[in-house]
Amino acid sequence: MKDTTEIKAALRAQHIETPSWAYGNSGTRFKVFAQRGVPRDPYEKLADAAQVHKYTGVAPTVALHIPWDKVDDYADLARHARELGVGIGAINSNVFQDDDYMLGSVTNPDPAVRRKATDHLLECVDIMDQTGSDTLKLWFSDGTNYPGQDDIRARQDRLAEALATVYERLGENQRFLLEYKLFEPAFYTTDVPDWGTAYAHCVKLGPKAQVVVDTGHHAPGTNIEFIVAFLLREGKLGGFDFNSRFYADDDLMVGAADPFQLFRIMFEVVRGGGLGPHVAFMLDQCHNIEPKIPGQIRSVMNVQEATAKALLVDQEALSAAQQAGDVLGANAVFMDAYNTDVRPLLAELRTEMGLAADPMAAYRDSGYHEKIAAERVGGTQAGWGA
Amino acid sequence: MKDTTEIKAALRAQHIETPSWAYGNSGTRFKVFAQRGVPRDPYEKLADAAQVHKYTGVAPTVALHIPWDKVDDYADLARHARELGVGIGAINSNVFQDDDYMLGSVTNPDPAVRRKATDHLLECVDIMDQTGSDTLKLWFSDGTNYPGQDDIRARQDRLAEALATVYERLGENQRFLLEYKLFEPAFYTTDVPDWGTAYAHCVKLGPKAQVVVDTGHHAPGTNIEFIVAFLLREGKLGGFDFNSRFYADDDLMVGAADPFQLFRIMFEVVRGGGLGPHVAFMLDQCHNIEPKIPGQIRSVMNVQEATAKALLVDQEALSAAQQAGDVLGANAVFMDAYNTDVRPLLAELRTEMGLAADPMAAYRDSGYHEKIAAERVGGTQAGWGA
Amino acid sequence: MKDTTEIKAALRAQHIETPSWAYGNSGTRFKVFAQRGVPRDPYEKLADAAQVHKYTGVAPTVALHIPWDKVDDYADLARHARELGVGIGAINSNVFQDDDYMLGSVTNPDPAVRRKATDHLLECVDIMDQTGSDTLKLWFSDGTNYPGQDDIRARQDRLAEALATVYERLGENQRFLLEYKLFEPAFYTTDVPDWGTAYAHCVKLGPKAQVVVDTGHHAPGTNIEFIVAFLLREGKLGGFDFNSRFYADDDLMVGAADPFQLFRIMFEVVRGGGLGPHVAFMLDQCHNIEPKIPGQIRSVMNVQEATAKALLVDQEALSAAQQAGDVLGANAVFMDAYNTDVRPLLAELRTEMGLAADPMAAYRDSGYHEKIAAERVGGTQAGWGA
Amino acid sequence: MKDTTEIKAALRAQHIETPSWAYGNSGTRFKVFAQRGVPRDPYEKLADAAQVHKYTGVAPTVALHIPWDKVDDYADLARHARELGVGIGAINSNVFQDDDYMLGSVTNPDPAVRRKATDHLLECVDIMDQTGSDTLKLWFSDGTNYPGQDDIRARQDRLAEALATVYERLGENQRFLLEYKLFEPAFYTTDVPDWGTAYAHCVKLGPKAQVVVDTGHHAPGTNIEFIVAFLLREGKLGGFDFNSRFYADDDLMVGAADPFQLFRIMFEVVRGGGLGPHVAFMLDQCHNIEPKIPGQIRSVMNVQEATAKALLVDQEALSAAQQAGDVLGANAVFMDAYNTDVRPLLAELRTEMGLAADPMAAYRDSGYHEKIAAERVGGTQAGWGA
């Protein structure tokens, strides 16, 4: 088992990015329930994100979503973030909310729509230049609902063309992460449905194109940690969109549905040397019925707990048992780490970092929630549409 | 094989109900794409539904959704429907779109919310009285998102209480259909997640409570035709909410994703004596990217084609092969009906009914779509929220 | 949180039954890997099962499988078990391994095969009489592989008839547990595919018929703890066949694939008053690649750990948070118990029971494995076929 | 719509390979039901396979499975095949049925086992040389059952090494097809679980390494035709192992569970130019409860019917509707082909080929089944083990 000091150092170095849209309202197609105190603009979202960093100490960046976080002056927004103690993280493109995109964005049969979508992606790189962000996250809702609706292969050609255009535009220290998703909102084919598709496109493009694993975007039964291990071996794992699910893309708090799975994923990250700055640990969740800021704090803590357990695995003993073909022995080493209660260790770490041992309680006691609920009256609450 | 005359008579007698909400806009949590010509109120929805009946001849009733179809004078709405040549079908309750229902409606931990939800259900029975509808459809989005969030068992107690209250209120010729659904919008537990739960509640309540099978509401791999056969055997199949899906509750046009499954379902309906007025054949779909009225016409036709094939099965030969344990022989009899092209038969039937042989072409050529697109300008288009 | 003494008392009282077939060889359709020291007959199986009880102290009974455990003198077998410190548990019927059962057993289209199958079930009740077992476990592999192959509904009629015959034969203190399973070995329809089917049959039969939940027998995404809670509410949960799976009916060690799920299940058992003798906690697993006896010991420990965590839940605090609609608060109470490392508590309990604190180590150090590997040479190893 | 003559020419040119093991007994882990007349050796298997070709005219080759089809003199076996009017197709390696392979073959932690497994693969290439087969099919059952059991990444390294060794050994006109499978017999990780993994390895190896798609080897909800289209676009689709399933790897007759899916797959094959000799159309099924030879004949016919429908699609009209964004119009063109009854066309083709119009009836009337049932008495029937 590793030294506690080493484990703490690794946990201190691990940064978990929160998404600006997690602080706005979200919901299902049936209903978006409004919550009190929700931000009305990107500046307020950043203020809320800063709270998460304040109490956890490991969430120093915030992902933006364009156009939801469109502002006139991105340099000013970045300055605002810095003043709050946080920075701008990945820029997330959005080519799924304009009526033009009904039949697709970069894979649309209409070349004018494809051009519009590609232009948006290029605009996102402009915003990266202005905010200093080095990561562009590309998710395409593109696909079809009915057999025969469009040509599966032609859509791949169109996709490849758009990706190449964006790839060319990337600066020296910029990269993009290509996200895959089994289904939703497309219900028959999705143009990037699995890691294999994302990987194949990225390999052709080059080192600035990598795959991002959203933990809720797989078919039932998919072994996500296998994908993580495989992509790390290939040097193609760019990062995570963390969340959890029992069914489809439920976007629950990471670790809430299957904490053991999260541990197995983090174990492969550690095993594969992915616990460094080149792999982005990002949250991508919907707090539909729970309060947003505590939802993010809890999620950050869940990632930390899984990481701590992964770091606790006695790799030497594990390796010895594996080499010996000792199935139960190897599993026991693995489970021993998982079954350990790492909360005391994390409380200790937080104290050493000058933080409260219990971030949830500290936030609750801070009065911030009551303050924003009282102050943020009027205006339009932020949501997926704005 | 049955006589063609008999088959046609059965097809002529089969009524397929369309839902008022299929004519409004719908979408996913990501985006609702607006379409031209979409109705602004229940009166316009009924007008569109009347078009489906006009060209198919077998869609004489329209389901309402309360409060989406709330009007001051239901008698007037019913009169309007009659003038259009259609009638009011099932009344669908909605206890999922008020902020109060964030943690549930009839199963909410707060008794005041439960009372409000139950009152709405009783109001729906009032509307049944006013419209002459004999069927109340109950779907509860109730459930939880996180383990521990609420008490699974207590929620069943609350559900049972609400159902009993509504059951008591039903008139002599009224019934309710209880709908089940695996998940969405609840992502951990759903209070009526499967047919077993719906069935158990209905059995306790009595003959006026029956189960409705929404073909998109099952776990992957679930054999829906088995459920249909079982519920028919128990006298508890109240009807269908037809649609189709490749993944979750995709709400695509019925028969679009797996036409063979629809055939197998209709075969069990025929086999179990369910092709009568006591089983309601209702559509419940979302035409997110395709035009609404043709989407409904195509769906009605798909149900008809599956029914025609089911009626074509040579039951005598099938039974003989089954009794003999002739696996391939029995399957061949079954597949022979499925592989038959029944479109000529249905075209013939339509001609005999005084309809155009091709309802899709007839509607397209009617100019109705252009007319509503031109006339219905201004106002707020109907959607799931209104 | 409950008192530690109470928790320990509950854990001491919980009995976990191991299955005789877990000590024999098992595998997949691709290969059964033989292991050294595997029993050759029911007497040796009981000896191995006694080892599991010896080191865990909570596995005092062993389930038999007929005809795999067929002996001439069941009274003698029961005496042998008693001498080893264990008793005979549930009798498991087997109507799936005779060539006659290719198209089904009690639901076979051929009445002679049905009679033969029913006779076997009645013979199992005879064995219950002879061994003193009070529980008959009924699993039917019956179903079909191809659409049209047999009549779904007629098979239900045949099933109902067989169940009624067996029910009538049960003695005053005997019961049967009806098992359901989504699929395998039947690949199109299964005659008892889900809890709803098992429940409906059991309700009609009466109080001696109950449902048994095999944790590996559900469709992907099925919420098993919901089913447990529901059946307990109805008084129809007879017991568990514990195992775990990532995909289909993988039959891995319980708790190995999703320990959080096992905790949630045990929480509902505790919540619903199921932690008593009327709910049977049975293992049903395949140790295809790991040694059998340690595999059983680990599984018993996994059930204990999940139970201990379930008992640790602060029900009062949970209830308060649930009533207040505090989603994150209620979840936190729940997760606090899950995240607790209960291994020290269980080690303490074992010491108090006069057992070694670590059953796995104690067994390993006992030399039993080496002994049986050396002694059990020659003869035919027990497996699913014998 | 294409010219009927062209469609018939394409159907005449399509060859469907049957597997030697389909003529032997097969089953599930629960039971292998023996059937009368089943072959006892590879020579008899080839005789049965020749019957399938005799009545369908499009099944001229037979895949072998080593060691199930091990003979002393492969040249003699090939001669025997030629005399029967068929040829030897793909060679299927088997590294999953030796006790040494319990923890894996080419990915086993033990280098001695890895060497043994690789040697077997090389031996299969020797057999290719001797039989003139140009295709090696590689399926690895390798994987793990428990988290921590072995190192996911190290197993990829071992796999890559073995594949490279075999690749080097391939002759100029030889290739291998790498098969992927979600799970079974491994229940936690599988070393080649999805097309992405197979593809990534094949791309690195070169043009003689291609992916084979077994239609039953995917997670629920996976869009197989997308994978087919993608692999064809990349020039990496080597062939199919056809079968069908409702649940897991059920290995039912192709087209039996979802004929519409088979049509969609064949449409992508046609669309992507895959209807040539470079894509191998192979059956890989288990006739557990139906007679073997008719099961193969029916399966060949099912592939033909799906192909005929795919060829019937009016590609020009489809493309026009797709380009116009006409969702329902494009779907209608697609469905029009699917809904066509192509059996008359195929009967006509068979007559033109000098065959009976109905292969099932012709085989049944031939008396071959009665003949082998009478003659093949004694000896050991072939099965998965031999």
Side-chain angles (χ1 to χ4, degrees), chain C residues 46 49-50 53-54 59-62 78-87:
Chain C
L46 285 170
H53 184 49
K54 180 176 178 184
T61 56
V62 189
R79 184 201 46 73
H80 173 71
R82 273 195 307 277
E83 284 175 12
L84 290 159
V86 291

Side-chain angles (χ1 to χ4, degrees), chain B residues 16 21 84 90 96 108 126 133 158 189 202 216 247 251 264 270 276 302 315 325 337 347 379:
Chain B
I16 299 155
W21 55 96
L84 290 160
F96 55 87
N108 197 297
D126 294 340
S133 167
R158 298 169 199 152
T189 58
C202 288
Y247 304 98
D251 278 333
R264 299 193 310 264
V270 170
N302 284 353
Q315 298 253 17

Side-chain angles (χ1 to χ4, degrees), chain B residues 80-102:
Chain B
H80 172 72
R82 273 194 307 277
E83 284 175 12
L84 290 160
V86 293
I88 302 298
I91 302 299
N92 288 254
S93 60
N94 176 326
V95 283
F96 55 87
Q97 286 198 316
D98 194 287
D99 278 326
D100 281 342
Y101 299 141
M102 188 169 86

Side-chain angles (χ1 to χ4, degrees), chain A residues 147-151 156-157 188 194-195 197 204 223 225-226 230 233-234 268 271 322 330-331, chain D residues 147-152 156-157 188 194-195 197 204 223 225-226 230 233-234 264 268 271 322 331:
Chain A
Q149 178 189 325
D150 201 2
D151 188 302
Q156 288 299 314
D157 295 337
Y188 167 51
D194 53 20
W195 76 266
T197 305
K204 286 192 184 159
N223 185 320
E225 57 268 30
F226 177 90
F230 197 94
R233 184 175 179 271
E234 303 290 323
E268 293 305 326
R271 159 68 181 88
Q322 290 173 342
N331 179 247
Chain D
Q149 178 190 326
D150 200 2
D151 189 301
I152 294 175
Q156 288 300 313
D157 296 338
Y188 167 51
D194 53 20
W195 77 265
T197 305
K204 286 191 185 161
N223 186 320
E225 57 268 29
F226 178 90
F230 197 93
R233 185 177 178 269
E234 303 290 324
R264 299 193 310 264
E268 293 305 325
R271 159 69 181 88
Q322 289 174 342
N331 179 246

Side-chain angles (χ1 to χ4, degrees), chain B residues 147-152 156-157 188 194-195 197 204 223 225-226 230 233-234 268 271 322 330-331, chain C residues 147-152 156-157 188 194-195 197 204 223 225-226 230 233-234 268 271 322 330-331:
Chain B
Q149 178 189 324
D150 200 3
D151 189 300
I152 293 175
Q156 288 300 315
D157 296 337
Y188 167 52
D194 53 20
W195 77 265
T197 305
K204 286 192 184 160
N223 186 321
E225 58 267 31
F226 177 90
F230 197 93
R233 185 178 179 268
E234 302 291 324
E268 292 305 327
R271 160 68 181 88
Q322 290 174 341
N331 178 246
Chain C
Q149 179 189 323
D150 200 3
D151 188 302
I152 294 175
Q156 289 299 315
D157 295 337
Y188 167 52
D194 54 20
W195 78 264
T197 305
K204 286 192 185 160
N223 186 318
E225 58 267 30
F226 177 90
F230 196 93
R233 185 176 179 269
E234 303 290 324
E268 292 306 325
R271 159 67 181 90
Q322 289 173 342
N331 179 246

Side-chain angles (χ1 to χ4, degrees), chain A residues 102-103 109-111 145-154 156-158 160 182 188-197 199-201 203-204 219-223 225-227 229-230 232-234 260 264 268 271-273 315 318-319 321-328 330-332 334-335, chain D residues 102-103 109-111 145-154 156-158 160 182 188-197 199-201 203-204 219-223 225-227 229-230 232-234 260 264 268 271-273 315 318-319 321-328 330-332 334-335:
Chain A
M102 188 169 86
L103 301 181
D110 182 344
N145 275 7
Y146 290 102
Q149 178 189 325
D150 201 2
D151 188 302
I152 294 175
R153 184 160 169 170
Q156 288 299 314
D157 295 337
R158 299 170 198 152
L182 181 66
Y188 167 51
T189 57
T190 293
D191 292 319
V192 190
D194 53 20
W195 76 266
T197 305
Y199 168 83
H201 280 286
V203 162
K204 286 192 184 159
T222 302
N223 185 320
E225 57 268 30
F226 177 90
I227 297 171
F230 197 94
L232 277 167
R233 184 175 179 271
E234 303 290 323
F260 183 45
R264 299 193 310 264
E268 293 305 326
R271 159 68 181 88
Q315 299 251 18
L318 181 67
S319 210
Q322 290 173 342
Q323 286 295 324
D326 179 1
V327 176
L328 289 177
N331 179 247
F334 198 72
M335 296 310 294
Chain D
M102 189 169 85
L103 302 181
D110 182 343
N145 276 6
Y146 290 103
Q149 178 190 326
D150 200 2
D151 189 301
I152 294 175
R153 185 161 168 168
Q156 288 300 313
D157 296 338
R158 298 169 199 154
L182 181 67
Y188 167 51
T189 58
T190 293
D191 292 319
V192 190
D194 53 20
W195 77 265
T197 305
Y199 168 84
H201 280 286
V203 163
K204 286 191 185 161
T222 302
N223 186 320
E225 57 268 29
F226 178 90
I227 296 171
F230 197 93
L232 276 169
R233 185 177 178 269
E234 303 290 324
F260 184 44
R264 299 193 310 264
E268 293 305 325
R271 159 69 181 88
Q315 298 253 18
L318 182 67
S319 210
Q322 289 174 342
Q323 287 295 324
D326 179 2
V327 176
L328 289 178
N331 179 246
F334 198 71
M335 296 309 293

